[in-house]
Amino acid sequence: MKRYIVILRGINVSGKNKLPMADLRDMLNELGFQNVQTYIQSGNIILDSKDTKEIVCQKIKEAIAAKFGYDIPVLARTPEVWKSTLENYPFSQENEKIVAFTFLDKVTKESVIEVKGINEDEYKIVDDIVYLYCPSGFGKTKLTNSVIEKKLKVTATTRNLKTTLKLLELATS
């Protein structure tokens, strides 16, 4: 069995794609995943599986579509990769409210994207992650999932520092 941190995009956001975590956990258990945990209401999952991360993502995506009718992007990482992502954050982590990680569904060769009006916000693209440092605040930044997806031709979902740290803690405890 391998442990995975699985993140869903667009669950329980602004009243859209409502998916109760208890129902999600039940569905994941029915799929045969082990030690299923969820964290907060935005589609953060810890689970164990004998499958590869690609198969885990495919099974969850198909099951959510069949059971709830949502076409939701699903990404997964091992705790080791997750930890490395945190350790490689290139900006200050002093103010956790302006630190985030945008996880991509595939590695990109791009290192720069053209985004107007990012002001003092910064980003760094490394393989399948975009590190974000947004002093303007996440409500105002132009470095959104949608912009990153369009510019890099990927699927993306972002987690703040607090959530990213908590998911690692849950996955390794």
Side-chain angles (χ1 to χ4, degrees):
M1 289 291 218
K2 196 167 215 168
R3 176 146 292 187
Y4 294 102
I5 299 170
V6 179
I7 50 180
L8 311 179
R9 175 157 184 224
I11 291 292
N12 299 329
V13 178
S14 303
K16 292 183 181 177
N17 297 336
K18 290 187 179 185
L19 202 167
M21 292 300 101
D23 293 348
L24 178 62
R25 285 190 301 274
D26 289 345
M27 182 199 78
L28 295 169
N29 284 315
E30 289 168 14
L31 289 172
F33 296 118
Q34 303 291 309
N35 303 311
V36 175
Q37 304 173 64
T38 56
Y39 174 68
I40 62 177
Q41 297 296 312
S42 56
N44 302 296
I45 306 159
I46 310 296
L47 57 76
D48 294 338
S49 176
K50 60 181 175 26
D51 296 322
T52 65
K53 74 175 185 172
E54 292 80 11
I55 292 172
V56 167
C57 291
Q58 180 183 348
K59 283 182 177 179
I60 294 171
K61 182 176 180 57
E62 289 173 358
I64 289 172
K67 186 165 186 165
F68 302 103
Y70 303 143
D71 181 19
I72 299 296
V74 180
L75 289 85
R77 303 286 193 276
T78 63
E80 296 78 21
V81 169
W82 200 266
K83 181 179 181 196
S84 176
T85 298
L86 277 157
E87 291 171 347
N88 292 322
Y89 187 78
F91 308 111
S92 170
Q93 293 185 26
E94 202 170 300
N95 181 352
E96 73 175 27
K97 294 182 179 179
I98 61 173
V99 172
F101 304 81
T102 301
F103 298 90
L104 311 178
D105 69 334
K106 60 187 173 190
V107 171
T108 179
K109 292 182 173 59
E110 301 297 325
S111 60
V112 176
I113 54 176
E114 293 292 323
V115 182
K116 293 182 183 193
I118 65 170
N119 301 319
E120 55 200 34
D121 292 350
E122 297 180 69
Y123 68 91
K124 183 174 182 184
I125 304 167
V126 179
D127 298 329
D128 60 357
I129 188 81
V130 180
Y131 296 102
L132 299 176
Y133 181 76
C134 298
S136 67
F138 291 110
K140 295 180 181 176
T141 189
K142 303 292 184 195
L143 297 169
T144 63
N145 284 330
S146 297
V147 167
I148 290 169
E149 286 179 328
K150 183 177 178 183
K151 299 287 184 176
L152 297 177
K153 297 177 179 58
V154 297
T155 297
T157 188
T158 301
R159 297 298 186 270
N160 64 27
L161 178 60
K162 183 178 178 183
T163 298
T164 305
L165 287 168
K166 184 64 177 181
L167 290 171
L168 179 62
E169 177 190 323
L170 291 170
T172 57
S173 60

